[in-house]
Amino acid sequence: MIVLLAHIKGPHVDWGGLSLFVVLTVGALLVLLIGLLRGTTARERVVPLLTLMTLGGAIAAEIAQFHHSASIISGALRIDDLALELDLIFAVSAFAAVLLSLRDVAPRSAGHGEYHSLLLFSVMGMGVLVSAQNLVTLFLGFELLSIPLYVLCASESRREGSLESGLKYLVIGSVGSATLVYGLALVYGATGSTDFQTIGAAVSQGKLFGGILGDPLLLTGLGLVIVGFAFKASVAPFHQWTPDVYEGAPTPITAFMATATKAAALGVFLRFFDVAAIGAQNKWAPLVAAIAAITILVGNLGALGQSSLKRMLGYSGIAQAGYMLGGVVVGTQLGIQATVLYLGVYLAMNIAAFAVIVAVERPPDGGGDDVSALAGLGARAPWLAWPMTIAMLALAGIPGTVGFIGKFQLIHALVDGDYTWLAIVLVVGSMISLGYYLRVVATMWMRSGVPATASGAMAPIAGGSGEQDEVSSWPSPEAAVPHGEIAFVAVLFAAASVFFGIFPSPLFHLMAHAGHAISGIF
């Protein structure tokens, strides 16, 4: 019996490749358990600190695995540079969201342990999604990232807008998930496999010998998969939920969704269509290109009339998703690199903007997320006005910012991939976007400070009618200083937007590995 047991060996476990998921799982469970303690210190101090430590450990695990590609769990997940770079975006975005949530109402309303553990589980779901090499694993990752976000959007349970946001996201997200799983089932039926490499080989073989590419089952499946991913990436015409959910959700969660969720959706777009479906590129690429062009126009035109900053950034995010789809369309290493690069720079630009919104909508200003709440911000709080200015200019693609570098790379990839017309649409969309990005900048620096209520309406000024009364109604500059962590996040990401806009070489070097990761699979 002893001899028999000595010959029994379990399957090999690549703990290095699994380290990211182990760190996030253990950290999320510990955060959830500590959040059950009665002490205020444990809930409000230890839980966020442990969450930040977990995310720091995840970042360390990701860096340690760079340039060490491996397929784990019987090939269900692939840990390569593309997945690791996207995982870095998820972790950094979650790190910023935790800092912005330190004094927010949402963790107290939902429970600190539950709030932070759901955030960590969502990050883990994103990691599974962008590493998936199997249709089943892809759907599991899709749901693992989505379900915690449904709850987090509604975490301010005593505010109607938050509950409405969570419900809308749940309903529309469920439709997107159902569409996706039906599409994946049709792809499996057409190819006879759930493995990306086997599916890719079957599709490529059909391209050479005829047959599978003419199969309506496969084409319908790919179309439904595009729709499912489009819901999650906020791509038109499946974008209707985005402005409402962004406006109603707690602002730190909106910041996380706007950056990390979009990165996960575009990451799985790259992984699936540039690996499993690359052999059918001539079928799906024109459709995705048309959707990208529509998305760019819908997002930019929709943002022009918005007075809510969060709704404006929601429509802006729709347009930005259209830009990034261009890298998916061309299906080349350059396209993959350009998309991942833009996802990284989009993180910096958006987090800086949302950090300022968090500061402005909280006391002492309490101006809500209306654009008018920024009036006079340059005079009374320049440490907030400058990060917001840089974020707006970067999102518009002004030279000297990282947004210009990102858009330039996307245009380069589109022209190189014979999609010059889509590059022109991108440029036109960027020109339209100046109409709402520069309006925010002008409000901060060129309008005097007029107090706004939480709903964005102008508050009456009691006593007198002169400029002195208007100015005195605002808090003093000392009172307007935001909490340290908010100022830190805003300044750090704004500084990164400028630094990498002037010195982009480190980004180019880092993102070059993402394209090589996919090209080296076959």
Side-chain angles (χ1 to χ4, degrees), residues 46-301:
V46 177
V47 165
L49 178 60
L50 183 57
T51 305
L52 293 175
M53 292 173 62
T54 301
L55 292 169
I59 292 172
E62 291 154 9
I63 294 174
Q65 289 298 308
F66 269 1
H67 312 317
H68 297 287
S69 298
S71 293
I72 60 175
I73 315 181
S74 300
L77 297 175
R78 181 167 180 82
I79 309 301
D80 54 22
D81 288 349
L82 172 63
L84 292 170
E85 289 172 13
L86 292 171
D87 290 339
L88 274 176
I89 293 174
F90 309 149
V92 172
S93 179
F95 200 99
V98 173
L99 291 177
L100 296 179
S101 300
L102 287 180
R103 292 172 175 85
D104 200 68
V105 175
R108 295 196 299 272
S109 180
H112 288 81
E114 292 87 341
Y115 180 92
H116 290 89
S117 63
L118 285 171
L119 190 65
L120 291 174
F121 279 125
S122 184
V123 173
M124 185 169 69
M126 294 173 184
V128 171
L129 182 63
V130 299
S131 296
Q133 284 289 101
N134 184 288
L135 299 181
V136 177
T137 312
L138 185 154
F139 186 70
L140 289 175
F142 196 86
E143 290 301 290
L144 183 55
L145 89 85
S146 299
I147 293 173
L149 287 177
Y150 300 151
V151 181
L152 289 171
C153 285
S155 54
E156 288 187 27
S157 55
R158 297 186 179 181
R159 183 168 63 85
E160 181 181 351
S162 180
L163 294 175
E164 181 184 350
S165 169
L167 181 60
K168 284 183 177 179
Y169 194 31
L170 170 63
V171 172
I172 298 177
S174 299
V175 173
S177 296
T179 305
L180 174 65
V181 74
Y182 189 35
L184 296 178
L186 294 182
V187 171
Y188 167 70
T191 61
S193 176
T194 62
D195 181 72
F196 280 12
Q197 294 191 34
T198 307
I199 293 172
V203 173
S204 297
Q205 188 177 31
K207 180 179 179 181
L208 293 175
F209 302 108
I212 193 169
L213 286 184
D215 186 353
L217 197 64
L218 175 67
L219 298 180
T220 305
L222 291 178
L224 292 176
V225 169
I226 290 174
V227 172
F229 291 163
F231 270 109
K232 190 60 64 180
S234 305
V235 170
F238 313 103
H239 66 286
Q240 295 92 341
W241 62 271
T242 308
D244 293 337
V245 172
Y246 277 25
E247 183 181 25
T251 304
I253 298 303
T254 302
F256 177 70
M257 291 175 59
T259 52
T261 305
K262 194 172 297 295
L266 270 298
V268 74
F269 246 118
L270 289 171
R271 179 75 72 180
F272 183 83
F273 283 98
D274 287 350
V275 175
I278 191 64
Q281 186 189 14
N282 63 328
K283 300 288 185 179
W284 57 259
L287 173 62
V288 175
I291 291 174
I294 294 170
T295 302
I296 291 170
L297 296 177
V298 168
N300 283 308
L301 293 175

Side-chain angles (χ1 to χ4, degrees), residues 8 14 34 55 78 153 159 212 237 280 388 416 441 444 468 485 513:
I8 296 177
D14 185 351
I34 293 175
L55 292 169
R78 181 167 180 82
C153 285
R159 183 168 63 85
I212 193 169
M388 180 62 96
D416 185 72
V441 177
M444 291 188 293
Q468 182 177 357
E485 70 277 1
H513 298 286

Side-chain angles (χ1 to χ4, degrees), residues 315-378:
Y315 276 105
S316 166
I318 293 167
Q320 304 282 345
Y323 301 155
M324 289 181 274
L325 274 180
V328 179
V329 167
V330 296
T332 62
Q333 284 193 29
L334 184 59
I336 295 168
Q337 293 167 17
T339 300
V340 177
L341 172 66
Y342 202 87
L343 287 170
V345 304
Y346 185 68
L347 167 71
M349 301 182 291
N350 250 29
I351 292 294
F354 278 107
V356 176
I357 295 174
V358 169
V360 170
E361 69 181 0
R362 291 183 186 175
D365 286 3
D369 73 326
D370 196 272
V371 175
S372 62
L374 299 178
L377 194 67

Side-chain angles (χ1 to χ4, degrees), residues 23-35 50 54 113 117 120-121:
V23 169
L24 289 172
T25 302
V26 173
L29 293 176
L30 286 176
V31 164
L32 186 61
L33 291 175
I34 293 175
L50 183 57
T54 301
S117 63
L120 291 174
F121 279 125

